[in-house]
Amino acid sequence: MPPLNTDVPAHVIDPAGGCPHALNARLRAQGAVAEVVLPGGVPGAVVLGHDALKDFLGHPDVAKDARHFPALHDGTIAPDWPLRVFANAQGMHTADGADHRRLRSLVGNAFTARQVERLRPRIEELTAALLDGLGRAADEAPDGVADLRTHFALPLPMSVICELLGVDPEHRGRLHHLSNTVIIATDTTPAEAMAAVRELVELMGTIAAARRANPGEDLTSALIAAREGDGDRLSEAELIGTMRLMLVAGHETTLNLISNAVRALCTHRDQLALVQEGKATWSDVVDETLRFDGPVSWFPFRYPTRDLTVDGTVIPKGTPVLAGYTAAGRDEAFHGPDADRFDITRPTAARNLSFGHGAHYCVGAPLARLEATIALERLFTRYPDLDLAVPEPELPHQRSFIGNSVQALPVRPQPVRPQPVRPAGG
């Protein structure tokens, strides 16, 4: 790929990732588009500015199908390149035009606002049970601390999406491990990534076979049964790809969204007070978290189908481009000079791009919003004094440049009780 028309050296992406905000600010100060070197030495680009990213995501000359990425097919890139999983997956997230519309229509009806609202009672029921479990875990710990990700932020969206897909409970722990290895943990070795991809595909095939043998009122059964007007079903690769997308996007991003919102509220108690006093809503919290510290940082891939000028920078045809969601979220040119401040009353927060834009806008956005608003409201109603158990800067960040959150979130649901003072010499 020829270099971008910039005098700024390409940024070499660290596969281990880390908190993205300082890097985003440095790169964004140099322009809305940055040249990068992807893991494996593959040249690419990232779009960082809000307006530039919005235009790029909706541009008619930007594709998702990897046939527009010549280096992937001509021997330039090694067969075991870990990021091939993003390019080679088959499903609506890597399809364009009529193929994309066909695949999206098969799942879209399950995620309309009306259909998602029907899930509210079940989400509320799961939330209540998980909050009971979080409290028990803290009570049983000597220091009164429990990991909110393990006991609450992960099992809530994982349970909901698995119930929607008809995934039996015994598979859920392994599915999270594999999806995290394949999609989130970008510091894995090629061998580890390829092995996880194979196992994930095999497990999805096992789940699909179970639903073929015993169809139910679930999305996987509906996808298997769905036919187009000409009688064609989804291919096996399309079915597995769609299931994998629903599973990963249906829980990893919401896990990070809930975790990041809790971190932000615990370290900005004035903002938490606004909601608790009825001066703002939990939806405001979700919108501002998506903007301020979104669950996905730099997401692969899109490909210009011709040399494309984005905010004055030419991105050559066929370049693998990352969508810089966390960078756009703190773009001062759009969100104001205080874009680094968490402010749930910010008027531009709802216009964040964390769920994408255009034809590929996240189909599961209504579900993620509902899960997060219920989770946060019930969490802080049950435990209004909930706080982080360690200083926020000491929390280990996800080892990823794609996912954006922490690896663990130790919290203390109940305030520390003062120990009784015993009389001297008693």
Side-chain angles (χ1 to χ4, degrees):
M1 183 192 87
L4 305 180
N5 61 340
T6 176
D7 295 328
V8 179
H11 168 72
V12 180
I13 291 177
D14 180 357
C19 184
H21 300 301
L23 171 62
N24 284 336
R26 178 169 64 82
L27 294 178
R28 201 173 50 239
Q30 298 166 352
V33 179
E35 185 175 2
V36 299
V37 179
L38 296 159
V42 176
V46 58
V47 182
L48 305 152
H50 176 97
D51 289 343
L53 181 59
K54 184 176 180 181
D55 290 345
F56 182 78
L57 295 176
H59 201 287
D61 296 321
V62 173
K64 293 278 279 181
D65 192 322
R67 66 188 179 88
H68 298 286
F69 183 12
L72 196 69
H73 314 292
D74 63 10
T76 302
I77 297 175
D80 64 351
W81 186 46
L83 296 183
R84 274 186 181 272
V85 64
F86 293 95
N88 287 344
Q90 293 190 40
M92 63 184 181
H93 57 309
T94 55
D96 298 309
D99 273 347
H100 173 252
R101 290 189 291 274
R102 173 177 64 90
L103 294 168
R104 189 177 175 101
S105 69
L106 292 173
V107 300
N109 288 340
F111 293 97
T112 64
R114 176 177 294 182
Q115 288 296 98
V116 166
E117 184 60 31
R118 293 175 61 182
L119 298 173
R120 179 183 290 274
R122 180 56 178 153
I123 296 171
E124 292 175 341
E125 179 184 16
L126 286 167
T127 299
L130 291 169
L131 287 175
D132 290 342
L134 178 69
R136 284 194 301 270
D139 289 341
E140 292 168 3
D143 56 1
V145 172
D147 181 12
L148 186 127
R149 283 174 71 87
T150 298
H151 295 285
F152 184 63
L154 167 60
L156 176 59
M158 189 67 170
S159 297
V160 172
I161 196 63
C162 283
E163 289 182 8
L164 272 176
L165 287 170
V167 176
D168 294 331
E170 63 263 26
H171 296 311
R172 295 176 187 178
R174 190 62 184 165
L175 284 172
H176 171 64
H177 170 76
L178 292 171
S179 71
N180 188 272
T181 301
V182 172
I183 304 299
I184 302 299
T186 51
D187 66 337
T188 53
T189 67
E192 289 170 334
M194 296 298 285
V197 169
R198 285 193 296 269
E199 186 179 348
L200 182 58
V201 170
E202 289 172 3
L203 186 49
M204 286 295 181
T206 299
I207 293 165
R211 297 282 68 81
R212 282 194 181 93
N214 186 25
E217 298 296 321
D218 56 79
L219 184 54
T220 300
S221 298
L223 290 171
I224 291 169
R227 290 180 181 272
E228 291 297 294
D230 58 7
D232 287 343
R233 293 185 186 273
L234 284 175
S235 71
E236 185 69 10
E238 289 174 335
L239 173 64
I240 298 303
T242 300
M243 290 173 61
R244 188 171 77 183
L245 172 65
M246 293 295 98
L247 173 83
V248 175
H251 88 276
E252 293 283 3
T253 53
T254 309
L255 160 62
N256 284 357
L257 173 57
I258 294 171
S259 300
N260 293 357
V262 171
R263 287 164 56 218
L265 290 170
C266 286
T267 53
H268 299 80
R269 308 300 294 198
D270 61 321
Q271 299 298 299
L272 176 58
L274 290 177
V275 193
Q276 292 174 328
E277 295 166 4
K279 297 176 182 177
T281 68
W282 292 107
S283 293
D284 295 331
V285 173
V286 170
D287 283 336
E288 179 66 350
T289 303
L290 287 166
R291 181 206 69 83
F292 173 78
D293 203 16
V296 176
S297 189
W298 292 5
F299 196 78
F301 287 118
R302 283 173 166 81
Y303 319 99
T305 58
R306 62 173 177 83
D307 290 356
L308 192 66
T309 301
V310 178
D311 198 48
T313 297
V314 175
I315 305 178
K317 175 182 177 179
T319 301
V321 182
L322 302 163
Y325 293 120
T326 51
R330 297 200 186 187
D331 184 359
E332 294 181 355
F334 184 81
H335 292 291
D338 65 343
D340 280 335
R341 184 169 64 90
F342 183 71
D343 176 8
I344 63 174
T345 68
R346 185 182 304 276
T348 61
R351 295 162 63 189
N352 72 81
L353 299 173
S354 285
F355 287 124
H357 175 71
H360 286 274
Y361 181 82
C362 178
V363 70
L367 178 59
R369 287 181 178 280
L370 182 64
E371 289 173 336
T373 51
I374 291 174
L376 295 168
E377 178 183 13
R378 299 303 171 89
L379 174 66
F380 284 100
T381 298
R382 176 81 67 92
Y383 304 115
D385 297 317
L386 179 137
D387 208 351
L388 303 182
V390 298
E392 200 271 345
E394 296 179 13
L395 295 172
H397 206 274
Q398 283 183 329
R399 296 183 63 81
S400 177
F401 66 88
I402 295 174
N404 174 48
S405 193
V406 291
Q407 294 180 12
L409 189 57
V411 298
R412 191 172 280 109
Q414 304 289 1
V416 178
R417 297 180 181 88
Q419 297 297 315
V421 179
R422 297 185 177 183

